Amino acid sequence: MARDETKIRLFVEASLAPGASVALGREQAHYLLTVMRLPPGASVLLFNGRDGEWHALLAEGSRRGAVLICEERTRPQSEPPDLWLLFAPVKKARTVFIAEKAAEMGARRLLPVITRHTNAERVNAARLRANAVEAAEQCGLLSAPDVAEPQRLEAALAEWDGARRLIFCDETMAGGGAFSGVGPGPAAILTGPEGGFAPEEAEMLRALPFSQPVSLGPRILRAETAAVAAMALWQAAAGDWR
Ligand code: SAH
């Protein structure tokens, strides 16, 4: 198969180098062999977030696993812009949507934060990471965002590095101006839950020296829409969409 016909991309943990053999676990082997029906010698693209993207050939496979051999590097490693997303988790399917879209939008790290009005069920960080990895495989990323364990908003802010701007999506500013003043340097977008931020939370957030309240236009957006819109605006203003 010619290399540019290769469609399947897999995220792996193993190191990638010329001739390196990469053993896949049961789930990825099942995907390649049973779902995609790849024959021995088939071509796959691999990435691990460190070594770029590699063209690899399927050497052997069985029900228990498969082995791929790296041939050559197709793209050097590159890092997405330094953007994090702090979001109040919402209902399960909508939280999965946020994790998936954050990966596609090139966020490096996702931090679920529990706020006063957060009423989400339990958040499974490992599951969200798997959703983010799948999105990264599909959209040609060379790494997949980390997903932190959920923590209280105050706890996340208590250990904040002031060099990272906190772009606080403040629904009380809806209609009150543009998404503006976003400059270069590390950033984190913060979006609230369906119930919004409590007035005292919003006041605390506005007072932080590293925070910048922003408006996302005249309409109140649903939490997951707000997260995607804010990431797109940031990428266009300060990230890799410029
Ligand atoms: N129930 C709240 C809205 C919450 S919307 C109310 O009626 O006011 C969920 C989150 O999306 C908000 O906490 C905020 O972070 C973000 N958001 C939605 N629309 C926004 C807008 N127009 N400007 C800024 N942030 C917005």
Side-chain angles (χ1 to χ4, degrees):
M1 200 198 286
R3 205 170 330 134
D4 25 337
E5 285 169 33
T6 307
K7 288 275 152 54
I8 298 175
R9 298 180 82 245
L10 287 182
F11 178 86
V12 295
E13 297 291 346
S15 292
L16 304 174
S21 83
V22 176
L24 300 183
R26 195 180 280 265
E27 226 174 282
Q28 284 181 320
H30 172 80
Y31 173 69
L32 289 190
L33 302 171
T34 313
V35 180
M36 301 311 291
R37 298 175 171 277
L38 291 192
S43 170
V44 173
L45 292 172
L46 302 178
F47 64 106
N48 62 5
R50 307 184 303 274
D51 302 322
E53 182 188 70
W54 287 74
H55 168 58
L57 298 179
L58 180 60
E60 56 181 79
S62 73
R63 274 177 180 279
R64 295 219 193 93
V67 175
L68 293 158
I69 308 293
C70 284
E71 292 277 300
E72 57 181 330
R73 199 168 71 166
T74 48
R75 286 159 69 196
Q77 186 64 37
S78 62
E79 287 301 316
D82 196 354
L83 177 66
W84 294 2
L85 174 68
L86 272 70
F87 67 100
V90 285
K91 289 222 175 69
K92 190 163 173 270
R94 293 175 186 276
T95 302
V96 167
F97 176 93
I98 292 175
E100 214 177 86
K101 300 310 145 194
E104 291 177 47
M105 286 295 178
R108 278 196 202 179
R109 192 169 157 74
L110 310 187
L111 293 91
V113 289
I114 312 300
T115 64
R116 287 285 296 280
H117 295 157
T118 301
N119 52 3
E121 308 121 61
R122 267 169 42 89
V123 175
N124 182 339
R127 190 62 230 155
L128 290 181
R129 159 80 177 170
N131 298 131
V133 164
E134 215 171 285
E137 288 173 341
Q138 280 166 16
C139 66
L141 278 157
L142 294 176
S143 50
D146 300 328
V147 181
E149 288 297 331
Q151 55 183 320
R152 301 206 65 81
L153 176 61
E154 289 79 2
L157 296 176
E159 52 195 40
W160 199 259
D161 168 8
R164 182 177 299 277
R165 298 294 297 167
L166 184 70
I167 302 181
F168 161 39
C169 297
D170 181 355
E171 67 270 16
T172 67
M173 288 180 63
F179 182 92
S180 59
V182 173
I189 284 164
L190 168 65
T191 55
E194 289 302 340
F197 289 103
E200 63 274 22
E201 274 174 338
E203 203 174 314
M204 174 274 286
L205 286 164
R206 285 185 210 112
L208 296 170
F210 47 80
S211 128
Q212 177 166 354
V214 296
S215 162
L216 297 173
R219 290 168 292 281
I220 299 286
L221 306 173
R222 294 197 72 140
E224 71 276 19
T225 318
V228 178
M231 288 184 285
L233 288 167
W234 186 87
Q235 289 292 17
D240 59 12
W241 287 17
R242 281 173 303 159

